[in-house]
């Protein structure tokens, strides 16, 4: 264990100068629920993951992350949707939607969520169709999403806390100043995220 800090320093030095963008690969998984359909959907998503890895672009592929867990776990589909969104919130800089994404209610929800969050969405026709992603990756710096999310959440919670205080007086100069400061921090964090 004495080497742990040194190993952490070495790991950090690998990414501090050029952090890796992470693209979520989204598309149908269950597609009717047969083992063959699920396997085909996993294979399609994996082809995109391999294509991104071959270009040294980071990815998160829920299909391979929980490959055939519908037969290995008792968790239901809603759990996996929540898991995917939780991971997307923490790591995704952009999303890649496989060609048949519109056939999946889960992928349609994820696309709406990505749009709402301001994540860049890509819709390549094949794993060889990565030109737009390559261009974006060369010019996009990954977000420090966790830090910005924490700042945005803290600011939003502060706004909520102040406005819900019993006897809150919107004419109180100190509260007005704090709300302006908090609102500014929240807007700055949201602008940076978007």
């Amino acid at each position: 264990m004495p080497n742990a800090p040194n190993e952490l320093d070495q790991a950090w030095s690998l990414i501090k100068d050029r952090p890796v963008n992470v693209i979520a690969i989204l598309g149908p998984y269950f597609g009717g629920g047969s083992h063959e359909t699920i396997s085909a959907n996993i294979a399609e998503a994996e082809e995109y993951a391999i294509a991104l890895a071959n270009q040294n672009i980071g990815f998160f592929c829920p299909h391979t992350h929980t490959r055939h867990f519908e037969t290995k776990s008792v968790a239901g589909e809603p759990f996996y949707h929540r898991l995917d969104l939780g991971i997307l919130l923490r790591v995704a800089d952009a999303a890649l939607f496989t060609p048949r994404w519109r056939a999946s209610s889960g992928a349609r929800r994820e696309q709406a969520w990505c749009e709402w969050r301001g994540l860049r969405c890509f819709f390549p026709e094949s794993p060889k169709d990565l030109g737009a992603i390559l261009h974006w990756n060369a010019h996009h710096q990954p977000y420090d999403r966790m830090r910005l999310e924490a700042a945005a959440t803290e600011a939003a919670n502060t706004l909520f806390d102040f406005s819900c205080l019993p006897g809150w007086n919107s004419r109180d100069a100190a509260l007005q100043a704090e709300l302006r400061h908090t609102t500014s921090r929240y807007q700055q964090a949201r602008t940076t995220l978007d």
Side-chain angles (χ1 to χ4, degrees), residues 35-162:
H35 185 79
E36 293 76 22
T37 300
I38 292 170
S39 293
N41 289 337
I42 293 169
E44 179 182 51
E46 187 174 45
E47 286 181 36
Y48 284 93
I50 292 167
L52 291 173
N54 287 341
Q55 296 296 327
N56 294 308
I57 299 173
F59 63 89
F60 166 63
C61 185
H63 300 72
T64 58
H65 180 243
T66 55
R67 180 188 314 261
H68 290 299
F69 269 49
E70 71 281 355
T71 63
K72 301 172 187 177
S73 168
V74 297
E77 189 176 0
F79 166 76
Y80 294 106
H81 288 294
R82 289 192 315 272
L83 174 65
D84 294 347
L85 286 176
I87 294 171
L88 288 174
L89 174 66
R90 290 171 178 86
V91 303
D93 295 294
L96 178 160
F97 289 86
T98 61
R100 295 178 299 105
W101 71 273
R102 284 186 179 90
S104 165
S105 61
R108 289 192 309 269
R109 265 193 314 273
E110 290 164 341
Q111 193 278 332
W113 183 85
C114 288
E115 187 175 296
W116 175 77
R117 297 279 303 149
L119 290 181
R120 176 72 186 268
C121 295
F122 296 98
F123 304 91
E125 294 182 20
S126 78
K128 294 179 181 180
D129 181 24
L130 299 181
I133 293 172
L134 293 172
H135 177 65
W136 171 84
N137 186 62
H139 297 92
H140 178 78
Q141 284 295 316
Y143 297 128
D144 184 351
R145 189 164 299 283
M146 295 297 285
R147 181 179 55 78
L148 293 171
E149 279 294 329
T153 301
E154 178 188 349
N157 287 340
T158 303
L159 279 173
F160 179 78
D161 291 345
F162 277 132

